[in-house]
Amino acid sequence: MSEQPRVEIYTKDVCPYCEKAKDLFDEKGVEYETHNVTGDEELFEEMVERANGRTTAPEVFVNDEFIGGWEHTCAMDETGELDQKLGRLAADGGTEPEHRRLIVSGSGIAGLTAAIYAARANNEPLVLQGDEPGGQLTLTTDVENYPGFPDGISGPDLINNMQEQAERFGAEVQNGIIEDVDDSSRPFRVELSNGDVYTTDALIAASGASARTLSIPGEDELMGYGVSTCATCDGAFFRGEEMIVVGGGDAAFEEANFLTKFAEKVYIVHRREEFRAEDYWQDRIQQKVEEDEVEIMKNTEVVEINGTPEDGVDDVTMVRNPEGHPSEKRDDPETEEFDFDVGAVFIAIGHTPNTGYLQDTGVDLDEDGYVVTHGGKGGGQTETDVPGIFGAGDVVDYHYQQAVTAAGMGAKAAIDADDYLESAEQGETAAAQEGAAASDD
Ligand SMILES: Cc1cc2nc3c(=O)[nH]c(=O)nc-3n(C[C@H](O)[C@H](O)[C@H](O)COP(=O)(O)OP(=O)(O)OC[C@H]3O[C@@H](n4cnc5c(N)ncnc54)[C@H](O)[C@@H]3O)c2cc1C
């Protein structure tokens, strides 16, 4: 097809997923029009009407056909359907898998740091971005604790800078989700969800962790219609409304703090008495409580979200028990159940490591699915049980889960991978020399 498809993306100010959608089309070399709905009521109404009532951005259209938000666009890209709609030819099938010296799964801060180090060591890394290009940091506007930025830096800027730095040294960053790794022979075979296949001498797993959800009635139906796992992406859509943040860790407190910019009031709903959030966040939120911008609801759980995609969230059903974990004590006479009016629900209850693609390999995963690395002192800390496969960042580290620690592990993994590739090469050369000597005899 030679005719250019018409791609339209409805966006808004401060919208990490809008940037991801634009990046996706940029990578494909496809031109698009953007319609920024921030402050433009008429355009916003037009978007909602064309997007079947959806109120979040981005919303993507190809040749007037509604594709959906980032998650739908990405899912369609994975299956190759998006390329078909764009009139792009499918990847050339039937050829030998492309071979790479080193593949990095994930373009979060761990993967990109690994890519910088690996590219500088001439290991020509191919970084596959997964379904969240740039990783979790693209969801935050302020990173104030990454060293070297005394005034802080936005997550997307930090990630863009790192990607630019990695590409300057020759790293290749591509769209692609790894679905399966076959480690039964060398080189490893790496299969992507769009059907593409690579072989590689080494793999750095830097695939991070994904936001957990509650699995309660109403959650799936209203996701994108008033339920969200990303306050920075969607908070501004619910300006002037009361909002709930579910969770008790740093992410929940940070999201609640951010949402006070827009909300009439923010309610932090936590199933226990104690919070896991660090003191800094607890102090900051306490200040907001005193200013009546935040209210904390302890020993309380949301058990149902009520509303419709057309009208968004009406209210939530909650349960409360003075001993905590009330949803497990529904029959306890101390458990009270009540409905609560809110405009939006933000879920911030932690993460699940993205390790499905390693499940059939010899890589040891712990009971929660995190990659187990050898750790300890000296070289090889990021090695897994499969020589040639390394782990870095939040996919390994369920404890620190910080940008700087993920970056540090990314650097270690690239150095470990370089040592591995070099000794594998030396082993091959020695074997070849032995073979040649034997045939001379
Ligand atoms: C809202 C928010 C705010 C935060 N703020 C801060 C902060 O201020 N300071 C701080 O230090 N930390 C902060 N963090 C934590 C920090 O973002 C994480 O610790 C860090 O991003 C972890 O980096 P990572 O590269 O290990 O994983 P991630 O950032 O999770 O990146 C994982 C990457 O792997 C990719 N991937 C997943 N599955 C596959 C697959 N099958 N194939 C290929 N690729 C795959 C994903 O698409 C993604 O690109 C914040 C986190 C959140 C959610």
Side-chain angles (χ1 to χ4, degrees):
M1 202 204 268
S2 56
E3 212 175 291
Q4 276 285 325
R6 181 173 185 223
V7 177
E8 295 166 88
I9 310 175
Y10 286 88
T11 63
K12 67 176 185 71
D13 290 349
V14 193
C15 171
Y17 286 115
C18 301
E19 296 309 313
K20 287 174 195 231
K22 288 195 262 178
D23 287 349
L24 177 65
F25 289 104
D26 282 339
E27 268 167 34
K28 292 180 183 295
V30 172
E31 287 179 15
Y32 51 82
E33 297 161 42
T34 53
H35 309 303
N36 188 334
V37 301
T38 303
D40 189 333
E41 197 59 33
E42 210 174 301
L43 198 58
F44 178 71
E45 292 302 331
E46 176 190 292
M47 176 189 87
V48 175
E49 193 182 332
R50 291 186 73 194
N52 304 330
R54 283 173 58 91
T55 54
T56 52
E59 298 298 347
V60 175
F61 293 81
V62 174
N63 294 328
D64 270 337
E65 183 184 340
F66 178 44
I67 303 298
W70 163 249
E71 69 282 16
H72 306 106
T73 309
C74 197
M76 214 178 254
D77 186 45
E78 277 168 40
T79 60
E81 206 185 328
L82 183 64
D83 280 342
Q84 277 173 15
K85 289 191 189 297
L86 293 169
R88 287 155 54 95
L89 290 176
D92 51 350
T95 50
E96 280 289 297
E98 195 179 323
H99 181 73
R100 293 299 181 129
R101 188 169 164 81
L102 173 65
I103 286 182
V104 180
S105 71
S107 60
I109 194 157
L112 290 176
T113 307
I116 292 169
Y117 275 71
R120 294 193 74 230
N122 291 332
N123 286 323
E124 300 163 353
L126 168 66
V127 180
L128 295 167
Q129 303 200 86
D131 60 359
E132 194 170 52
Q136 295 169 63
L137 278 181
T138 58
L139 306 179
T140 184
T141 42
D142 296 308
V143 181
E144 292 188 334
N145 53 6
Y146 197 79
F149 299 94
D151 299 324
I153 182 167
S154 87
D157 283 351
L158 179 59
I159 286 294
N160 288 342
N161 289 348
M162 292 182 85
Q163 181 168 335
E164 207 177 293
Q165 193 176 354
E167 286 171 339
R168 181 159 71 87
F169 295 118
E172 213 177 311
V173 182
Q174 267 184 27
N175 223 42
I177 299 177
I178 301 182
E179 196 159 80
D180 190 52
V181 173
D182 180 357
D183 63 339
S184 60
S185 57
R186 305 299 165 110
F188 304 124
R189 190 181 152 89
V190 176
E191 238 178 84
L192 308 196
S193 57
N194 65 3
D196 288 355
V197 178
Y198 291 94
T199 55
T200 187
D201 296 324
L203 174 77
I204 295 177
S207 41
S210 295
R212 271 196 210 127
T213 50
L214 297 166
S215 302
I216 55 171
E219 184 182 46
D220 282 351
E221 299 87 301
L222 294 169
M223 190 63 78
Y225 300 97
V227 179
S228 168
T229 55
C230 177
T232 36
C233 313
D234 298 330
F237 283 122
F238 306 98
R239 197 179 287 274
E241 306 209 37
E242 305 212 314
M243 306 182 192
I244 278 182
V245 174
V246 179
D250 285 349
F253 275 53
E254 186 181 350
E255 301 225 327
N257 183 60
F258 175 78
L259 289 172
T260 57
K261 290 185 200 181
F262 314 105
E264 171 68 22
K265 188 154 185 174
V266 178
Y267 296 85
I268 298 179
V269 175
H270 183 45
R271 61 186 173 164
R272 296 189 298 130
E273 183 70 28
E274 302 79 28
F275 292 108
R276 277 177 295 105
E278 62 182 57
D279 291 347
Y280 167 81
W281 280 115
Q282 296 210 33
D283 293 346
R284 210 151 152 188
I285 287 297
Q286 185 51 38
Q287 207 177 318
K288 298 278 180 188
V289 170
E290 281 155 24
E291 289 159 4
D292 209 27
E293 291 184 52
V294 172
E295 185 173 321
I296 291 176
M297 302 171 91
K298 292 180 179 175
N299 300 319
T300 305
E301 279 175 273
V302 177
V303 289
E304 185 163 351
I305 306 171
N306 310 304
T308 58
E310 294 72 37
D311 298 326
V313 174
D314 289 333
D315 58 60
V316 295
T317 306
M318 296 206 265
V319 285
R320 183 188 293 138
N321 182 296
E323 299 302 318
H325 298 274
S327 67
E328 294 163 17
K329 302 170 185 152
R330 298 289 284 267
D331 297 333
D332 185 333
E334 294 254 50
T335 302
E336 52 172 325
E337 181 170 324
F338 55 98
D339 288 341
F340 194 81
D341 284 351
V342 280
V345 178
F346 292 90
I347 299 160
I349 52 166
H351 293 86
T352 303
N354 302 314
T355 47
Y357 64 98
L358 294 172
Q359 223 114 48
D360 296 330
T361 65
V363 172
D364 188 16
L365 304 177
D366 74 10
E367 56 187 20
D368 294 318
Y370 285 90
V371 169
V372 177
T373 51
H374 291 167
K377 291 181 182 173
Q381 291 178 27
T382 66
E383 284 171 0
T384 66
D385 279 357
V386 177
I389 301 185
F390 305 85
D394 282 11
V395 77
V396 175
D397 166 28
Y398 55 82
H399 180 72
Y400 295 105
Q401 297 203 324
Q402 288 296 296
V404 69
T405 49
M409 286 178 81
K412 288 183 188 180
I415 294 169
D416 288 344
D418 185 52
D419 288 347
Y420 167 83
L421 288 164
E422 213 165 282
S423 41
E425 246 166 28
Q426 278 166 6
E428 273 166 28
T429 311
Q433 282 167 351
E434 265 174 40
S439 60
D440 283 349
D441 289 342

